[in-house]
Amino acid sequence: MIKRFKIGEPLDTNAVVEQLDNSPISEFPLSVKTGEKIEITFNLAPDDKIYGLGEAVRGINKRGWIYESWCSDEINHTEDKRSLYGAHNFIIISGEKKLALFVDNPGKVEWDLGYTSADTAKITVPSNSAYLYTVDGETERDIVRQFRKLIGKSYIPPFWAFGYQQSCWGYATEDDFRNVRDNHRKNNLPLDCIYMDIDYMDSFKDFTINRGLFPDFKSFVDDMKAHNIHLIPIIDAGVKNEKGYSVYDEGHDNGYFCTDKDGNEFECGVWPGIVGLPDFLNTNARRWFGRQYKALTDLGIDGFWNDMNEPALFYSADGLKKAQEKLSKLSEKEIDIWGFFGMKDAVMGLSNSMDDYSSFYHDFDGKKVCHKDVHNIYGAFMTRAASDYFEEEFGKEKMLIFSRASYIGAHRGSGIWFGDNFSWWSHILLNLKMLPSVNMCGFLYCGADLGGFANNCTGDLLLRWLQLGVFTPLMRNHRALGTRAQEAYQFGNTEDFADVLAVRYRLIPYIYSTFRRCSDENDMMFRPLAFDYPNDKIASEVEDQLMLGDECMIAPIYEQNKNGRTVYLTEPMTFVKLSGENVTIEKLGKGIHYVEVALNEVPLFIKDGKKIPLAKPALSTAELNTENLEYIG
């Protein structure tokens, strides 16, 4: 059962599709204080667990840490962080009774989940307005289904978007892309998509092509499609402030950019230099921006990734001026250690400054609102601009679109990826733990940068990460400029990578059908073992294994120099190792087992009485035979 409670005059975040009557706040099941801010407090019993919060650090059970819902341009996904790229304000309190809470407020929300006091949780909304939703249910999975029905069905991308995808910040020429395509094909490595980072643009301007690098872009796109490769360009939130650049001129002339308190266009710096920030909360501006994608769809592009849309701010024009003034004053005298730190702070504090987020405004369809009060829906509304246009122009399931920043509700029109991670073994496990948490919030099409975005990847790290990525709907290998090349043919043991990637294509019929069912039924693809085995005490604490669909369990290896791992089976299962076309099967009973998994094998556990389909390997989804399947189990 779901109840809605209204406090103050909350803004419509587009999170919810089912309209409910407001229940009296006196019926709210937790302690709540209202006023200038909203505070929700509840006691935690020793065995209570807290699930949810979507894209966040630490465990599947979020108890014991303090989190902030604040979409952040944060590359360091370390345990001390309180917020990442998404704001997913949904938790399940799982104890003797089960209760879920959704705090629908587009500004910052703080979640002290047993951090200040181990037996107390406190949620703080620094605003006097919010919708609060509570969900009662017998099980966590039942609660999730109710909540997902409330917020609407999850986005389904085109079938080809379930193929393997390769990306790199640094692919800059046609030859770069063709080399990636050709090296995959000649090494028997499947591939469906290659990504275009900011290098393809003319001076980092959205919806432009560097004609010096791509003289006939449409022919290039068509040539790649003839080889069953989809090109997926990036779109950033900021629009370069440049007279004569039609996107900027249209936005400026129509008042479609965010403004400062005096109504002047807010100026900040990102990749192109000074930009205007489109006011995606303004319906007319959002529709206008959505139509800009036509410049690339007309050239044959059928997929995009939206980035820098928290929004990330390298600096504001005003903040840069103040920093320069401070540096100038400090440089006039001999620099002691405190002066040095002052100079450092002046520069380091420029990016993503709260002062800047508090200094610009939106026209939220006639209501002037400060950005800090709606920060968490900015990226979601940018992606809504694209997804609304795509559905109107092409229909559902025709375009690939996913975003870095997100809020609950954006899951209806797009997927997400987990942002700029590192080539760290610990990030394989973090990737795993995020999957059920974002599924709870509706995001089914999701995945991490396999191999890690920053730092230098090793061959064994990438193979182990791919063994998890084989199961994630978005399977993308992505790295940063200046890091070690990490395409699957770069490490000298290409046959191992071919074996693992072949498994992905063999599993696509199962992954795709499971994905569609979970969208249709408002279910989770990935679940903690505790959701399926609530009376199993060991399962309640396992966080490095997940249930997949109704048939399987996955348990990837996420430590260096390990030939296997220990797994806990909640019931008898079939241990399957997949490698290329090879299938190895072993029956295992309930309990703890040590299983060995080679670098070219993908481990999977299938429940007794269940079977899953396997296709023949293929080099692209276009070549995949989804009719003649074999079943294992």
Side-chain angles (χ1 to χ4, degrees):
M1 179 180 179
I2 303 178
K3 288 187 176 182
R4 183 177 82 169
F5 303 86
K6 181 182 178 183
I7 299 175
E9 296 300 325
L11 297 168
D12 181 6
T13 64
N14 194 50
V16 169
V17 296
E18 290 196 336
Q19 296 305 308
L20 304 177
D21 293 332
N22 296 317
S23 297
I25 196 65
S26 60
E27 295 180 5
F28 190 70
L30 306 172
S31 174
V32 60
K33 292 182 180 179
T34 61
E36 291 185 0
K37 60 184 178 180
I38 301 167
E39 294 180 334
I40 303 164
T41 308
F42 53 94
N43 294 327
L44 294 170
D47 292 333
D48 284 353
K49 294 177 172 58
I50 300 177
Y51 300 109
L53 292 184
E55 185 182 1
V57 298
R58 297 202 170 215
I60 294 174
N61 177 7
K62 298 299 191 294
R63 183 172 177 170
W65 188 237
I66 188 166
Y67 299 86
E68 290 179 352
S69 293
W70 182 260
C71 294
S72 300
D73 175 20
E74 179 55 76
I75 190 172
N76 293 303
H77 304 179
T78 48
E79 289 189 21
D80 61 321
K81 299 304 176 186
R82 296 185 176 186
S83 56
L84 296 179
Y85 299 101
H88 306 138
N89 302 342
F90 176 72
I91 61 170
I92 299 175
I93 308 157
S94 179
E96 188 174 336
K97 293 185 177 180
K98 294 173 174 54
L99 178 72
L101 174 66
F102 171 41
V103 178
D104 191 9
N105 177 277
K108 182 179 287 187
V109 181
E110 184 179 279
W111 308 78
D112 183 340
L113 304 178
Y115 171 79
T116 301
S117 177
D119 61 357
T120 306
K122 184 177 181 180
I123 302 163
T124 305
V125 184
S127 166
N128 59 7
S129 298
Y131 286 114
L132 306 179
Y133 294 83
T134 59
V135 190
D136 288 306
E138 292 295 318
T139 66
E140 293 90 352
R141 200 169 176 183
D142 171 51
I143 285 173
V144 169
R145 285 191 178 112
Q146 290 184 65
F147 178 64
R148 294 266 303 279
K149 185 171 183 289
L150 174 74
I151 60 176
K153 293 194 181 301
S154 299
Y155 161 77
I156 298 176
F159 182 73
W160 53 260
F162 289 81
Y164 181 59
Q165 308 177 21
Q166 180 62 51
S167 183
C168 171
W169 172 20
Y171 296 158
T173 69
E174 291 188 6
D175 283 346
D176 289 338
F177 292 91
R178 290 194 173 102
N179 286 337
V180 171
R181 176 196 70 193
D182 295 345
N183 275 305
H184 277 81
R185 294 291 185 247
K186 76 180 183 182
N187 285 293
N188 206 36
L189 296 164
L191 187 66
D192 268 84
C193 304
I194 306 177
Y195 281 73
M196 311 187 79
D197 211 315
I198 53 177
D199 314 272
Y200 80 92
M201 301 178 187
D202 175 12
S203 303
F204 305 133
K205 292 183 288 190
D206 279 344
F207 310 111
T208 67
I209 304 294
N210 184 327
R211 295 295 178 181
L213 299 175
F214 303 95
D216 189 345
F217 188 71
K218 188 175 189 314
S219 293
F220 174 57
V221 173
D222 291 343
D223 175 62
M224 296 298 279
K225 280 190 175 179
H227 290 82
N228 296 323
I229 298 293
H230 299 260
L231 293 172
I232 315 296
I234 195 171
I235 301 294
D236 284 346
V239 173
K240 183 175 176 63
N241 183 329
E242 180 183 282
K243 298 290 191 220
Y245 165 39
S246 63
V247 180
Y248 175 77
D249 287 344
E250 287 178 20
H252 175 77
D253 292 346
N254 288 284
Y256 288 156
F257 296 118
C258 295
T259 60
D260 63 20
K261 66 181 189 312
D262 298 319
N264 301 311
E265 200 170 283
F266 177 71
E267 294 184 339
C268 59
V270 283
W271 291 112
I274 295 295
V275 301
L277 290 178
D279 188 358
F280 298 116
L281 277 63
N282 180 313
T283 298
N284 291 330
R286 188 168 62 250
R287 288 174 177 164
W288 161 77
F289 193 85
R291 291 193 297 272
Q292 303 309 309
Y293 287 83
K294 180 176 167 56
L296 294 172
T297 59
D298 280 353
L299 298 175
I301 294 297
D302 49 11
F304 297 88
W305 51 310
N306 284 349
D307 198 7
M308 302 291 288
N309 55 351
E310 291 73 33
L313 309 178
F314 292 169
Y315 58 87
S316 69
D318 185 57
L320 184 61
K321 181 180 178 182
K322 289 177 180 177
Q324 289 170 329
E325 290 173 352
K326 184 174 183 178
L327 291 172
S328 179
K329 288 179 181 179
L330 287 169
S331 66
E332 291 173 357
K333 58 184 180 180
E334 185 176 346
I335 302 296
D336 59 12
I337 190 63
W338 305 113
F340 164 75
F341 283 126
M343 294 178 74
K344 183 179 177 182
D345 290 345
V347 175
M348 297 296 289
L350 281 172
S351 296
N352 305 317
S353 158
M354 189 58 72
D355 287 343
D356 288 339
Y357 288 132
S358 302
S359 66
F360 66 94
Y361 294 80
H362 298 267
D363 173 5
F364 200 166
D365 294 334
K367 183 174 184 178
K368 184 177 181 179
V369 294
C370 181
H371 175 78
K372 71 177 177 59
D373 296 325
V374 291
H375 174 82
N376 287 337
I377 59 173
Y378 185 82
F381 275 50
M382 175 191 179
T383 303
R384 182 182 172 188
S387 60
D388 285 353
Y389 170 70
F390 295 153
E391 183 171 343
E392 177 185 317
E393 186 73 11
F394 304 105
K396 291 184 176 182
E397 302 181 33
K398 301 297 184 185
M399 302 290 289
L400 172 61
I401 176 70
F402 60 94
S403 171
R404 193 168 77 174
S406 60
Y407 186 84
I408 291 173
H411 71 285
R412 297 191 299 273
S414 73
I416 55 172
W417 95 101
F418 300 152
D420 297 340
N421 57 4
F422 275 75
S423 298
W424 295 343
W425 287 89
S426 62
H427 277 186
I428 300 179
L429 184 57
L430 181 59
N431 179 180
L432 179 86
K433 291 180 179 182
M434 284 185 185
L435 291 169
S437 299
V438 299
N439 274 194
M440 292 179 209
C441 300
F443 294 98
L444 294 182
Y445 191 76
C446 61
D449 286 344
L450 302 173
F453 173 73
N455 289 152
N456 295 314
C457 188
T458 60
D460 56 340
L461 172 60
L462 180 57
L463 279 166
R464 291 303 192 197
W465 213 329
L466 289 172
Q467 288 168 7
L468 169 59
V470 154
F471 300 104
T472 61
L474 170 60
M475 188 187 186
R476 182 178 80 147
N477 176 338
H478 181 46
R479 70 174 178 93
L481 183 70
T483 61
R484 181 184 185 183
Q486 64 187 48
E487 293 84 5
Y489 48 81
Q490 297 284 5
F491 297 99
N493 55 335
T494 305
E495 296 83 1
D496 289 345
F497 287 93
D499 285 341
V500 172
L501 293 180
V503 172
R504 166 61 170 211
Y505 283 72
R506 300 204 73 191
L507 286 168
I508 283 178
Y510 173 67
I511 293 168
Y512 183 73
S513 62
T514 301
F515 183 99
R516 291 199 69 100
R517 179 188 64 75
C518 290
S519 177
D520 291 341
E521 298 177 6
N522 297 313
D523 203 356
M524 299 167 64
M525 278 190 74
F526 300 98
R527 300 179 305 283
L529 271 59
F531 280 28
D532 286 37
Y533 304 93
N535 299 318
D536 189 318
K537 207 161 180 60
I538 298 177
S540 72
E541 296 185 357
V542 172
E543 293 207 353
D544 60 353
Q545 304 170 202
L546 295 177
M547 304 308 298
L548 167 61
D550 288 332
E551 298 82 12
C552 303
M553 184 185 77
I554 60 172
I557 293 174
Y558 53 87
E559 294 180 287
Q560 190 172 13
N561 298 322
K562 293 294 179 70
N563 296 318
R565 59 161 289 170
T566 300
V567 296
Y568 174 64
L569 301 189
T570 50
E571 60 177 282
M573 293 186 183
T574 301
F575 173 41
V576 180
K577 290 192 286 190
L578 301 166
S579 179
E581 293 197 59
N582 297 321
V583 180
T584 303
I585 290 176
E586 181 182 358
K587 297 288 185 179
L588 298 177
K590 177 181 177 178
I592 296 172
H593 301 267
Y594 181 82
V595 297
E596 292 187 352
V597 181
L599 287 173
N600 69 332
E601 295 175 327
V602 176
L604 179 63
F605 301 82
I606 303 176
K607 294 162 67 172
D608 270 8
K610 300 288 187 179
K611 292 184 179 295
I612 67 166
L614 291 178
K616 288 291 185 185
L619 291 180
S620 69
T621 53
E623 302 169 63
L624 193 64
N625 185 336
T626 59
E627 299 297 325
N628 299 316
L629 305 174
E630 65 174 292
Y631 287 81
I632 59 169

